[in-house]
């Protein structure tokens, strides 16, 4: 088995933390749109339980649906760093009031190609 790496090293934690905080947690619409263009491939696919979306607009509308239905005091956070290998990364996260227990927790799994997220799978933990 070869230990030789193909392609540039991927900063899984940096990219996935940016995906959570600069996109999913960002309430400023223009900053969110700029981060989406920077972090995701134009043809990105997002898969959530019972829903899917494609492209930059799909990411934007997915996030907008989450944040527009959440109280302004709700924030995202992570349970440690993201990890990955072979172009696939994962990161555990939580969402809820900034001064209380999370309302929802889950796991994001992404595929990264040429430094951008091409697929995002969102898994929600059972309540």
């Amino acid at each position: 088995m070869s230990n030789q790496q193909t392609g540039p090293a991927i900063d899984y934690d940096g990219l996935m933390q940016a995906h959570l905080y600069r996109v999913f947690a960002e309430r400023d619409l223009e900053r969110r749109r700029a981060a989406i263009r920077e972090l995701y491939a134009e043809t990105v696919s997002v898969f959530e339980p019972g829903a899917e979306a494609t492209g930059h607009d799909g990411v934007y509308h997915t996030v907008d649906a989450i944040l527009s239905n959440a109280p302004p005091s709700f924030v995202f956070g992570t349970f440690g760093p993201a990890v990955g290998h072979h172009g696939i990364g994962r990161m555990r996260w939580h969402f809820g009031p900034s001064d209380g227990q999370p309302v929802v927790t889950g796991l994001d799994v992404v595929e990264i190609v040429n430094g951008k997220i091409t697929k995002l799978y969102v898994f929600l933990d059972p309540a």
Side-chain angles (χ1 to χ4, degrees):
M1 201 150 103
S2 172
N3 286 335
Q4 188 174 7
Q5 182 174 338
T6 58
I10 298 171
D11 178 4
Y12 292 96
D13 188 52
L15 184 56
M16 293 192 75
Q17 295 281 343
H19 137 85
L20 187 70
Y21 291 110
R22 294 183 52 213
V23 177
F24 277 77
E26 181 57 69
R27 292 183 186 266
D28 180 277
L29 306 181
E30 290 310 308
R31 283 198 302 256
R32 185 188 318 151
R33 279 199 187 278
I36 288 170
R37 286 189 301 271
E38 179 186 332
L39 301 171
Y40 300 86
E42 287 184 33
T43 57
V44 63
S45 296
V46 179
F47 303 96
E48 295 184 305
E52 58 184 80
T54 56
H56 289 167
D57 284 344
V59 174
Y60 180 84
H61 293 300
T62 297
V63 175
D64 194 56
I66 294 166
L67 293 180
S68 64
N69 289 309
S73 65
F74 274 35
V75 296
F76 277 97
T78 62
F79 296 111
V83 295
H85 59 83
H86 293 89
I88 305 297
R90 68 137 176 98
M91 183 174 69
R92 294 198 34 76
W93 52 264
H94 52 87
F95 185 60
S98 58
D99 60 352
Q101 291 296 313
V103 172
V104 62
T105 59
L107 172 76
D108 285 353
V109 175
V110 299
E111 176 187 70
I112 300 165
V113 176
N114 296 325
K116 294 200 178 202
I117 295 171
T118 57
K119 289 190 173 73
L120 164 61
Y121 297 89
V122 178
F123 295 88
L124 303 178
D125 293 331

